[in-house]
Amino acid sequence: MSNLFDFDASVADGWAAFRDELTTQLTELQAAGSVRVTAPNAALNGTGPSAFFTITADDEVRCHLSPTLLGQNRDLDDDELQLLMDLEWDSISEDECVVERGRDEVEHVVLAATGVIQELWQVVHPTFLLTVQEWATEPIQHIGFQAAGQSQLRDLVDDALERITGSAPNKDDDGDVTFTGNGVMSWLCVDPSDSVIEMFTSLAVEVRDPAAASEALMEFSRQWPDIKFLLINGCVRASIRMDATVFTDAVLRSTLIKWFDFLTDGAGEVASAIAEVATEAQESDEALPVGLLCLMELDDDDEGPLSPREIATACEFDRDAILHYLQVSQKQASTWRRSVFDAREREDEEEARACEHEEQSWSKRTKRLRAALRLVVLSSRLNEVR
C-alpha cells in the first residue's frame, strides 16, 4: 500500500465535507438566523468577500455575495460571467450576486456558492474560510406598524429592504432607493405627503403618436393590472404604488416581486410595442395625402382656419380629392377620440387633454372639408342646370 499523500484527493475530500456541513447548517437554518462564509485576505487587512445565507419570507434559502471578486475594483469579465451563468445564479452584477431556492434544493445554493469561492475567490481549501452562524438581535418584523411620519416610514423601508435582500439599499442623491432589473433602472421612494411607497421607471422609448401609444398601453394595463402607465413629455412612465398606512415587510416584498416580474417580463415588451407604434405613426404621417398636408399647413393660427371656399380652391374643386381628405380626417378624429377615453380610463388627465386637443382639431377640419365638398358638389349641379 502506498503511503504517499494525495493532495488533490485531500482537497476534494475537504470541499466535499465543507459542502455537507454547510448543507446541514442551511437545512436547519431558521428565519431569524444567518450563516456567513468569509474568505479572509491578508492583503485586505484580514477582510475579504463573503457569502451571506439567509431564509426568505417564502422559506427559501438565499445566498448573496458582495463583492463577487476579491476586493478588485473592476467589472466581471466574460469568463467570470459565464461561470456564474453556468452555476445558475438568479441575479448577477459586478457588485452583488444572488441565488435562492426552496429548502429541498439547498444543495443547488451550496454548489453555486462553493463554485464561486473556489473559482472566483481562488480559495484552495475550505480551511482558509471563516464560517460563522449568526442570529438576528431583533426578530424579523411580521406585524403591521403605523409610521409616525415620512422619516420613520423611510427608515422602516430601509430596514425591511435590508432584511429582504440581505444588504443595505443603494440610494441616489435624492435619497431614493435605486434598483436595476433586466437592465432597467428603477427607483423606490416614499411619497412626501402620504403613506404611500412608489416604485417607478421611465422606459427607453420615444412616443411619437400619443393616441396610438395610449391604445397600446391600455392593453398592457389589462395584462399588468398593478402597473400604472403614463405618457409624460414623450416618454412612458411605469409605476406601482403600495399603501403603507400600516407597513409590513410582507406587503413590501409582495410589491417588489410584482415590480420585478414586470421589469423582467413586461418592460421590454411594452417598450417594443411603443417603438413599433412610433414607426407606424411615422409611416402614417408620411402616408397622409399631400393635399391634406397642404391644407394643414395653410390652417394658420394667426390668419385663422381656411373657409370652405378656400379649401375647395386649394383642392382645385376636385370632388374626389376632398372626399378622400374628409374620410382621412374622420378616421383621425375617431382615433384621437378613443385615445381620450383610454387616457381617462387610466386617470391620466394631462394625456387626455392633449388627445382631446388633437381630436377637436381633426373634428373641425372634418366639418370644413364636408362644407367644401358640399360647395363643390352643389356648384357642379348648378352649372349642369344652367
Side-chain angles (χ1 to χ4, degrees):
M1 178 182 294
S2 174
N3 292 322
L4 293 176
F5 175 69
D6 190 333
F7 177 79
D8 291 339
S10 174
V11 169
D13 290 343
W15 282 112
F18 171 78
R19 287 192 295 269
D20 289 343
E21 183 179 353
L22 182 57
T23 298
T24 300
Q25 286 181 300
L26 298 182
T27 301
E28 298 173 352
L29 188 62
Q30 301 301 310
S34 64
V35 175
R36 186 186 299 271
V37 178
T38 305
N41 189 316
L44 299 173
N45 297 321
T47 62
S50 293
F52 188 63
F53 300 88
T54 55
I55 301 299
T56 71
D58 295 329
D59 200 39
E60 292 187 331
V61 180
R62 183 181 192 276
C63 173
H64 85 270
L65 309 173
S66 182
T68 55
L69 295 179
L70 196 57
Q72 300 178 34
N73 186 22
R74 65 171 177 82
D75 296 343
L76 295 167
D77 62 30
D78 292 341
D79 291 339
E80 291 160 345
L81 284 172
Q82 187 60 54
L83 171 67
L84 292 168
M85 292 171 66
D86 291 342
L87 293 171
E88 298 183 22
W89 283 82
D90 299 321
S91 177
I92 301 172
S93 74
E94 62 270 17
D95 298 319
E96 179 182 78
C97 293
V98 174
V99 61
E100 59 185 33
R101 293 291 189 279
R103 286 184 184 268
D104 57 340
E105 295 184 87
V106 67
E107 294 86 355
H108 176 86
V109 178
V110 172
L111 287 173
T114 52
V116 170
I117 293 172
Q118 290 178 267
E119 301 297 331
L120 292 188
W121 297 356
Q122 295 294 301
V123 177
V124 177
H125 195 278
T127 55
F128 294 103
L129 297 172
L130 175 63
T131 302
V132 178
Q133 187 158 356
E134 303 168 327
W135 296 91
T137 56
E138 296 180 0
I140 294 178
Q141 179 185 8
H142 293 291
I143 61 173
F145 190 90
Q146 188 167 3
Q150 306 312 102
S151 178
Q152 187 177 29
L153 180 55
R154 281 190 287 270
D155 291 341
L156 286 172
V157 171
D158 291 348
D159 292 342
L161 287 173
E162 187 163 1
R163 285 191 293 270
I164 292 170
T165 65
S167 59
N170 295 318
K171 292 191 174 184
D172 61 14
D173 294 339
D174 296 326
D176 296 334
V177 178
T178 60
F179 298 105
T180 301
N182 198 29
V184 179
M185 174 72 79
S186 63
W187 291 261
L188 180 152
C189 67
V190 174
D191 190 295
S193 59
D194 199 2
S195 297
V196 172
I197 297 167
E198 182 180 39
M199 279 152 267
F200 63 92
T201 188
S202 291
L203 302 183
V205 62
E206 181 182 0
V207 177
R208 295 183 178 178
D209 186 343
S214 295
E215 189 171 351
L217 290 176
M218 194 66 179
E219 294 301 319
F220 285 109
S221 294
R222 298 187 185 97
Q223 183 179 345
W224 299 93
D226 298 304
I227 307 298
K228 182 178 181 180
F229 300 100
L230 293 176
L231 295 178
I232 301 178
N233 298 326
C235 297
V236 177
R237 184 182 191 272
S239 63
I240 187 171
R241 292 170 68 84
M242 166 188 159
D243 184 353
T245 304
V246 178
F247 179 85
T248 66
D249 283 22
V251 177
L252 177 60
R253 179 181 176 82
S254 175
T255 306
L256 284 168
I257 290 173
K258 292 176 181 177
W259 180 240
F260 282 104
D261 282 347
F262 166 72
L263 292 183
T264 302
D265 301 326
E269 187 179 357
V270 173
S272 297
I274 299 302
E276 183 176 348
V277 165
T279 301
E280 292 173 355
Q282 185 176 14
E283 293 173 352
S284 176
D285 288 343
E286 293 172 353
L288 284 176
V290 175
L292 182 56
L293 291 172
C294 181
L295 293 177
M296 293 168 65
E297 288 295 327
L298 291 175
D299 271 333
D300 189 275
D301 291 337
D302 295 330
E303 298 294 334
L306 295 175
S307 68
R309 178 166 293 278
E310 288 173 329
I311 291 175
T313 301
C315 296
E316 298 180 348
F317 289 82
D318 186 334
R319 180 198 62 186
D320 293 344
I322 297 174
L323 179 60
H324 180 46
Y325 303 160
L326 173 61
Q327 292 170 339
V328 173
S329 297
Q330 287 174 326
K331 184 177 180 180
Q332 289 286 337
S334 177
T335 299
W336 284 105
R337 195 174 300 117
R338 288 198 305 271
S339 298
V340 173
F341 175 79
D342 291 344
R344 284 180 175 156
E345 281 284 298
R346 300 195 311 274
E347 299 181 355
D348 186 353
E349 284 301 320
E350 182 179 352
E351 182 63 25
R353 286 193 296 271
C355 294
E356 190 172 31
H357 174 76
E358 291 293 334
E359 186 271 334
Q360 290 174 353
S361 296
W362 282 105
S363 294
K364 292 176 182 177
R365 188 170 294 116
T366 298
K367 291 180 180 179
R368 294 198 299 274
L369 283 164
R370 186 178 290 111
L373 179 64
R374 179 183 178 86
L375 175 66
V376 169
V377 172
L378 291 181
S379 297
S380 176
R381 294 289 177 85
L382 287 173
N383 289 334
E384 290 176 4
V385 172
R386 291 173 186 170

